[in-house]
Amino acid sequence: MRKIVCLALCLALLAQPALALPEMGTLYAKSAALYAANGQELYSYNADEPLQPASVTKIMTMLLTMEALDRGEVSLDTMITGSEYACSMGGTQIWLEPGEQLTLDEMLKAIAVGSANDCAVAVAEHLAGTEAAFVERMNTRAAELGCTGTQFINANGLDGMGQKTMTTAHDLALISCELLRHPKILDYTRIWMDSIRGGKFSLANTNKMLKSYQGLTGLKTGYISEAGFCISATAERDGLSLVAIVMAAPTKENRMADATALLNYGFANFTAYTLPDDLLPPVPVTLGRAAFVQPQMEDSGSLIIEKSKAAALEPQIDLPESVSAPIEQGQPLGELTVLSDGQVVLRVPLVAAEAVECKGLGELFSGLWGALFCGAQENQTN
């Protein structure tokens, strides 16, 4: 392994006085968490306490829908039919009629903007056959994302017959971060007012922070009496994307105050730093169809750094002298360590940006005969 120690990288954006990170202050909610969209935890308060998420459950429903879209299993023009069961949902709804069909685009709009319980179940049934089968997918996906305190019972977050969806602020943050990997969803969660059914049914976003908080992009509110007021609030400013989770706040006003406090804390104390394109050198590849493979950070092109520690960043890069083909895209290659004043701020795995196949036998023999021929010619010339 070789270590490339880069000179301290200072940018005006990052030049902040070295101060201790301030305390958050008192929150009204029972549980809260603040994450960067890349999955970095920035703050937590009772974030592992199992609580009911109410309609914030729908972030997982939307995530599985966006993933199905990406796989080509459905399109936004796909017609979704409301079953009698889906149309029987209570709470917030658009009053689907049994047999009524809407496009997936309209269904997503109703779920993200109007928090429609009936549409959430209709989409779940379309994607998995039954809501129960969809719930299995929800719980499997949650486990894959590292959620340890989550158990979904339905696609919309309503209480079931003697059952309750339970999750944690930590787990909701992980699911929200994953949903943000599908930026198309923000086309829906950013909507303030719209309509469906050819303009006959109006929708107003349940997330009133869209009008009160600069840079807000979503993501989902929730309320039932036992759960209290919950929200997954996402916002972006100056290239920094944040996720604030608030669970079991006593009132709507408390929920908004807590989410605002979390986001303000994040934007005041953290900054996004993008590494220069030429910082990560290509790694030579032996026996590969490409001579080099380009390393990249495992998650994203930005690091989220405390402003108080960002005045003098010193990246250290550990990469091998060479690697042997075949190389898979995403294969671990090394590690980036970011230091500030000699202290480790962050460690980020470095992975292969693309796959590199092995040379075929013909290519290997061709290269060998070429080398022998060139050597013979050189000897004759000398």
Side-chain angles (χ1 to χ4, degrees):
M1 299 288 284
R2 64 180 176 180
K3 178 170 289 188
I4 304 171
V5 182
C6 301
L7 296 176
L9 300 173
C10 302
L11 296 179
L13 174 65
L14 302 177
Q16 303 289 336
L19 300 173
L21 197 62
E23 294 296 326
M24 168 68 69
T26 303
L27 297 174
Y28 297 99
K30 288 185 179 179
S31 176
L34 177 68
Y35 274 62
N38 67 358
Q40 283 180 242
E41 182 182 287
L42 306 180
Y43 175 84
S44 67
Y45 170 70
N46 295 336
D48 291 321
E49 180 179 353
L51 294 166
Q52 291 179 257
S55 279
V56 184
T57 293
K58 295 184 179 82
I59 60 173
M60 178 59 89
T61 301
M62 291 189 287
L63 173 60
L64 294 185
T65 303
M66 299 310 294
E67 291 177 340
L69 276 166
D70 285 352
R71 291 192 298 266
E73 296 172 6
V74 287
S75 73
L76 292 175
D77 294 327
T78 297
M79 300 304 296
I80 310 294
T81 303
S83 68
E84 288 195 16
Y85 174 69
C87 296
S88 72
M89 296 295 113
T92 308
Q93 56 187 310
I94 64 164
W95 292 280
L96 273 176
E97 293 289 338
E100 181 182 1
Q101 290 189 318
L102 295 175
T103 63
L104 180 58
D105 176 67
E106 287 192 299
M107 287 281 185
L108 271 172
K109 194 181 296 184
I111 295 167
V113 179
S115 196
N117 294 320
D118 44 4
C119 292
V121 174
V123 170
E125 291 176 331
H126 183 91
L127 293 177
T130 65
E131 186 189 28
F134 188 79
V135 170
E136 286 187 21
R137 295 185 186 181
M138 295 171 75
N139 288 316
T140 298
R141 192 71 181 99
E144 291 171 352
L145 293 174
C147 300
T148 57
T150 295
Q151 186 66 37
F152 292 110
I153 65 164
N154 54 37
N156 53 34
L158 291 171
D159 284 346
M161 296 295 292
Q163 294 181 302
K164 301 174 183 178
T165 287
M166 302 297 290
T167 187
T168 67
H170 167 80
D171 289 358
L172 287 180
L174 294 179
I175 299 167
S176 298
C177 289
E178 190 67 21
L179 181 55
L180 289 177
R181 293 177 181 271
H182 304 270
K184 179 66 179 176
I185 196 64
L186 300 183
D187 291 347
Y188 299 95
T189 60
R190 281 189 175 120
I191 294 172
W192 176 243
M193 296 190 72
D194 209 326
S195 62
I196 55 175
R197 294 177 172 136
K200 296 178 181 179
F201 190 91
S202 297
L203 297 171
N205 205 309
T206 59
N207 188 356
K208 304 312 177 188
M209 287 185 68
L210 282 168
K211 283 293 186 181
S212 65
Y213 195 86
Q214 177 189 351
L216 201 84
T217 58
L219 199 57
K220 190 71 196 72
T221 61
Y223 170 78
I224 53 176
S225 57
E226 280 196 61
F229 292 88
C230 308
I231 192 171
S232 171
T234 58
E236 184 173 353
R237 294 181 189 172
D238 299 323
L240 176 59
S241 181
L242 298 177
V243 175
I245 304 296
V246 173
M247 299 191 72
T251 68
K252 282 184 181 180
E253 293 75 18
N254 293 155
R255 173 177 68 187
M256 183 179 294
D258 282 356
T260 298
L262 286 162
L263 293 172
N264 285 347
Y265 180 85
F267 289 124
N269 293 290
F270 297 91
T271 188
Y273 173 63
T274 301
L275 293 170
D277 292 337
D278 59 354
L279 181 65
L280 300 177
V283 178
V285 177
T286 58
L287 304 178
R289 287 184 170 172
F292 296 91
V293 63
Q294 180 62 46
Q296 66 179 16
M297 289 190 292
E298 184 178 47
D299 195 10
S300 71
S302 295
L303 305 174
I304 310 305
I305 303 292
E306 289 181 25
K307 289 181 178 179
S308 62
K309 296 180 180 178
L313 294 182
E314 183 185 345
Q316 293 184 348
I317 303 169
D318 286 331
L319 287 170
E321 291 287 353
S322 64
V323 289
S324 299
I327 301 166
E328 296 181 2
Q329 185 178 21
Q331 178 177 318
L333 294 177
E335 185 178 66
L336 166 67
T337 303
V338 181
L339 297 93
S340 177
D341 295 329
Q343 294 185 336
V344 175
V345 177
L346 196 64
R347 296 185 189 276
V348 182
L350 298 176
V351 300
E354 65 281 321
V356 178
E357 296 180 353
C358 283
K359 286 183 178 179
L361 288 176
E363 294 170 288
L364 290 172
F365 279 116
S366 174
L368 176 60
W369 283 114
L372 290 174
F373 177 78
C374 289
Q377 289 290 95
E378 184 178 349
N379 289 334
Q380 288 178 10
T381 302
N382 293 337

